[in-house]
Amino acid sequence: VLLHSHELMDLNVVPEDHEDEIFRGHYDQEPRSREQEDRRRGFKRDYPGEGSNHGGGHYYRGGQGYHHNNNKHSRPYDRNKLPEGWLGCPAYGQNIDYIIPSKVPLGDNFIIHGKRYSCRDAVHEQGKLRREIGLVIDLTNTSRYYPTSDWKKIKAGTRHVKIACKGRGSVPDNESVNDFIYEVSQFYSSQKQSNRKYILVHCTHGFNRTGYMIVHFLVRSQSVSVTEALQRFANARPPGIYKQDYIDELYTFYGERRPEIIECPLTPEWKRSSEFDLNGKMMQDEDSGSSSVHEVLENKEMTNDDVIGDALPYDENDMMQQCCYDLLGQGRRAKGNMQFPGSHPVSLNRDNLQLLRQRYYYATWKADGTRYMMLITWDGCYLIDRKFCFRRVRVRFPLKQNNEGFDKETHNITLLDGEMVIETLPDTQKQVRRYLIYDVMAINGVPVVELPFCERWKRLEREVIEPRNLERRFFDQSRIPYYRYDMEPFRVRRKDFWLLSVVTKLLENFIPKLSHEADGLIFQGWDDPYVLRTHEGLLKWKYSDTIDFLFEVVFLAISY
């Protein structure tokens, strides 16, 4: 057989990733500034992207883009090519509660020499096991495997959600994890106990990305350790997650130390045989990524404009806002009509100066940082900025120590108020973040806003700060700690307050030695309740070089 020169295949060329549609909604190489983040969120509200259909059926999380291949030596892209290792991969695993891990079903356009596994087959197979599928979560990074409309054609009311995640070289990003947990939680809460439907979760093969998401859900929803969650997934879908970086990332994310007995399973034989090309070079996954979404510039200078934590789905953010309103006795409000409820001080002036003589006040320094409230729940902590946007962070607040020792249980529905500062450690000049907590509005679902500040401040130390410090010291001395506080994104402490009689020492001796910037003083009424929004009795005084000026521009009409 004679081949023309342009038809010769170069065996030294590694096949490139030819995904015709790459969903890029979650992948940013560098952390955004707060201004960029706000602009992005606003744009996504106004232009959610093609394929969005929040009224039911299916929708995509993330925008769409197109990947063009300009390598003239690469092979022509075959849209109907089977995913590598798909034929030998087991179709699905055992259910984990109401979640079924599965490989991707393939549409009728794929030519399969072997047992088919289509959307119809997936529904039929689960039906034989008396499992009715009500939700499908698709974690692949392409839309070529099947038409999403197939699910509704097979079973009316079946919902399809696309959370695009890259494959090789990347673990799913934190916002995608939040999306997944929100979708599963919402589906669970909408089901009737007597007739609960199941969730089919798939990536390409149903092991690594699928397992990563399910393990996250188990840890957050059932308060189990990463080790236990990994084992549960491995039992349901042997051999479990077989990528080392996925396992390492799970332990790192939750601050748990990986036991030495935990080893990464070997790559399954059906996958191993398809890992390399004819030259023995590693091949790209069908929807792989070239780099991790968790890459962070280690030497990047910290600023107060840095975005901390992971954004939540918009509906979940609305739910969190209403949770805070309910906790603070603000009642039900329409979506988009809720404002940041935190207390705001007013400037010290001639009119309110006499309050310092008439009432019992304490003073503290005014840190030059970023204002955040913090909501602590059993499945995570959430920073709340002045725009009333919630972002999830991994910080642990254990309950008070009981007589039997340390309890793994944490605070649930505890609402704090404070500010995030950037400290420069004097010995190493290294930058670290610290959250300074100066008030508490609720403790484990019980509002304390009506208590005087002196009592709230004591309870903050006794029930929030002290248990955390005790547990941290215990874990620091433990050879194999359950949790690693040193891996949290910031440190935590209670802010100190002093009598007005020591204000001079505060200004001359204490503030100059701070490892972060300060720009004035705050005067807090010792017996004040927590006042939402503007508090006329909470006073601030700023240094002369940072005074805010109010200008009034008056235009005069000039007649000629």
Side-chain angles (χ1 to χ4, degrees):
V1 179
L2 297 178
L3 295 176
H4 295 290
S5 59
H6 68 274
E7 296 176 318
L8 292 174
M9 181 179 295
D10 184 359
L11 294 181
N12 293 315
V13 176
V14 179
E16 291 193 355
D17 180 13
H18 295 287
E19 288 299 338
D20 59 319
E21 292 182 72
I22 304 294
F23 296 85
R24 304 186 185 277
H26 295 293
Y27 308 112
D28 298 294
Q29 296 302 315
E30 296 182 7
R32 304 183 188 90
S33 69
R34 183 173 291 105
E35 181 180 357
Q36 291 172 321
E37 178 69 10
D38 293 340
R39 187 161 55 244
R40 182 187 74 89
R41 291 169 71 91
F43 180 83
K44 287 181 71 176
R45 283 194 185 95
D46 296 335
Y47 305 96
E50 296 179 11
S52 296
N53 180 12
H54 297 279
H58 68 275
Y59 63 91
Y60 297 121
R61 289 203 180 276
Q64 295 187 19
Y66 295 91
H67 178 74
H68 298 285
N69 174 35
N70 296 320
N71 188 344
K72 63 182 180 180
H73 296 293
S74 61
R75 302 173 187 175
Y77 172 56
D78 182 4
R79 183 175 174 82
N80 298 325
K81 176 188 174 184
L82 290 179
E84 300 292 343
W86 185 89
L87 275 177
C89 175
Y92 57 89
Q94 297 297 317
N95 60 296
I96 305 170
D97 296 333
Y98 286 86
I99 302 176
I100 304 166
S102 169
K103 70 179 180 181
V104 60
L106 298 181
D108 295 336
N109 54 307
F110 285 85
I111 300 175
I112 301 175
H113 301 289
K115 186 176 181 181
R116 296 194 62 86
Y117 184 65
S118 63
C119 298
R120 184 175 298 278
D121 295 325
V123 172
H124 179 69
E125 289 292 327
Q126 298 307 317
K128 291 192 298 184
L129 298 171
R130 296 185 178 181
R131 303 172 187 159
E132 181 181 352
I133 297 175
L135 173 64
V136 177
I137 300 182
D138 176 1
L139 304 176
T140 63
N141 199 37
T142 178
S143 63
R144 77 179 183 92
Y145 291 132
Y146 58 77
T148 54
S149 58
D150 281 1
W151 296 105
K152 290 189 70 177
K153 291 178 182 178
I154 299 165
K155 182 70 175 179
T158 302
R159 188 160 164 262
H160 176 273
V161 173
K162 180 79 172 181
I163 305 178
C165 303
K166 294 182 181 180
R168 189 194 309 280
S170 298
V171 298
D173 63 275
N174 295 341
E175 290 188 22
S176 296
V177 173
N178 289 339
D179 288 343
F180 177 85
I181 292 173
Y182 175 73
E183 293 295 343
V184 174
S185 300
Q186 286 295 100
F187 184 80
Y188 269 21
S189 63
S190 66
Q191 296 295 297
K192 296 180 179 179
Q193 290 289 341
S194 58
N195 186 28
R196 300 195 72 169
K197 297 181 181 180
Y198 287 76
I199 304 171
L200 186 82
V201 181
H202 76 78
C203 49
T204 306
H205 300 98
F207 283 87
N208 294 307
R209 282 169 287 180
T210 296
Y212 186 83
M213 292 296 201
I214 292 175
V215 167
H216 266 290
F217 177 76
L218 292 176
V219 173
R220 294 194 199 177
S221 65
Q222 301 181 15
S223 298
V224 299
S225 67
V226 171
T227 301
E228 183 178 345
L230 283 169
Q231 188 60 55
R232 286 188 62 184
F233 179 74
N235 292 340
R237 185 79 165 142
I241 298 176
Y242 55 82
K243 286 187 177 180
Q244 186 69 58
D245 53 338
Y246 280 56
I247 295 174
D248 291 343
E249 180 66 19
L250 283 165
Y251 279 102
T252 299
F253 184 90
Y254 290 102
E256 295 184 23
R257 190 180 297 275
R258 195 182 82 180
E260 295 180 359
I261 60 173
I262 300 298
E263 295 183 356
C264 182
L266 295 175
T267 302
E269 184 61 36
W270 51 263
K271 178 67 173 174
R272 216 178 308 158
S273 59
S274 62
E275 289 272 296
F276 304 94
D277 66 6
L278 296 178
N279 297 304
K281 294 184 178 181
M282 185 71 73
M283 294 180 64
Q284 288 284 322
D285 276 351
E286 287 296 309
D287 46 353
S288 63
S290 58
S291 61
S292 172
V293 297
H294 295 283
E295 291 179 357
V296 178
L297 299 177
E298 293 184 359
N299 298 323
K300 182 179 180 295
E301 184 177 358
M302 296 180 181
T303 72
N304 288 331
D305 288 330
D306 293 340
V307 177
I308 306 172
D310 309 313
L312 305 183
Y314 298 123
D315 289 344
E316 186 176 5
N317 196 84
D318 291 336
M319 290 174 55
M320 289 293 191
Q321 290 179 348
Q322 189 60 60
C323 174
C324 286
Y325 264 50
D326 292 341
L327 199 59
L328 299 173
Q330 295 297 288
R332 306 293 297 179
R333 299 291 178 92
K335 288 184 178 181
N337 194 31
M338 289 181 279
Q339 299 177 342
F340 182 74
S343 186
H344 297 296
V346 298
S347 296
L348 185 66
N349 55 41
R350 292 179 180 178
D351 295 331
N352 56 32
L353 183 61
Q354 73 276 4
L355 291 176
L356 298 180
R357 293 191 294 266
Q358 297 171 354
R359 300 178 52 204
Y360 197 47
Y361 270 88
Y362 268 49
T364 188
W365 74 98
K366 184 180 181 300
D368 186 12
T370 306
R371 171 75 177 278
Y372 287 108
M373 290 167 53
M374 179 187 285
L375 178 64
I376 308 170
T377 70
W378 59 270
D379 67 336
C381 295
Y382 301 87
L383 290 177
I384 311 168
D385 64 22
R386 288 180 180 270
K387 294 185 178 180
F388 214 12
C389 291
F390 290 67
R391 298 187 71 89
R392 192 179 190 279
V393 292
R394 181 183 54 78
V395 186
R396 177 175 169 82
F397 287 91
L399 294 175
K400 288 179 62 176
Q401 183 179 0
N402 56 38
N403 296 329
E404 299 178 357
F406 290 97
D407 196 333
K408 291 184 179 181
E409 294 297 320
T410 63
H411 277 257
N412 186 34
I413 315 299
T414 292
L415 188 60
L416 309 174
D417 203 353
E419 53 199 341
M420 190 73 67
V421 297
I422 298 172
E423 296 185 338
T424 302
L425 302 181
D427 296 337
T428 62
Q429 297 301 303
K430 178 183 177 181
Q431 286 185 311
V432 296
R433 299 188 195 277
R434 187 184 296 277
Y435 185 56
L436 300 175
I437 308 173
Y438 49 69
D439 215 330
V440 56
M441 295 94 90
I443 299 177
N444 291 316
V446 180
V448 295
V449 289
E450 296 299 328
L451 295 178
F453 174 75
C454 57
E455 181 62 29
R456 299 197 308 274
W457 195 61
K458 293 175 183 177
R459 293 189 64 176
L460 171 62
E461 176 68 21
R462 187 170 61 245
E463 300 190 38
V464 179
I465 300 299
E466 188 176 285
R468 175 182 162 88
N469 290 341
L470 286 173
E471 185 185 73
R472 176 165 187 165
R473 285 195 291 270
F474 175 78
F475 285 165
D476 286 346
Q477 298 171 4
S478 175
R479 190 175 67 87
I480 307 178
Y482 167 76
Y483 180 81
R484 293 187 58 184
Y485 278 95
D486 61 313
M487 298 182 68
E488 292 183 339
F490 50 82
R491 303 178 181 186
V492 175
R493 63 165 287 187
R494 184 186 66 161
K495 202 174 184 184
D496 294 321
F497 287 79
W498 293 271
L499 292 168
L500 293 186
S501 58
V502 300
V503 164
T504 301
K505 291 183 179 179
L506 180 61
L507 288 170
E508 295 179 354
N509 299 329
F510 180 81
I511 291 180
K513 295 179 181 179
L514 285 172
S515 54
H516 60 267
E517 296 294 326
D519 59 1
L521 297 174
I522 295 290
F523 299 98
Q524 168 73 57
W526 200 239
D527 56 355
D528 279 354
Y530 188 92
V531 178
L532 303 183
R533 301 183 181 86
T534 303
H535 181 8
E536 298 293 342
L538 182 61
L539 309 176
K540 66 177 179 180
W541 172 82
K542 301 180 73 173
Y543 297 151
S544 59
D545 60 347
T546 60
I547 289 179
D548 298 325
F549 290 92
L550 175 64
F551 289 91
E552 182 179 1
V553 180
V554 179
F555 294 94
L556 300 177
I558 302 176
S559 58
Y560 295 94

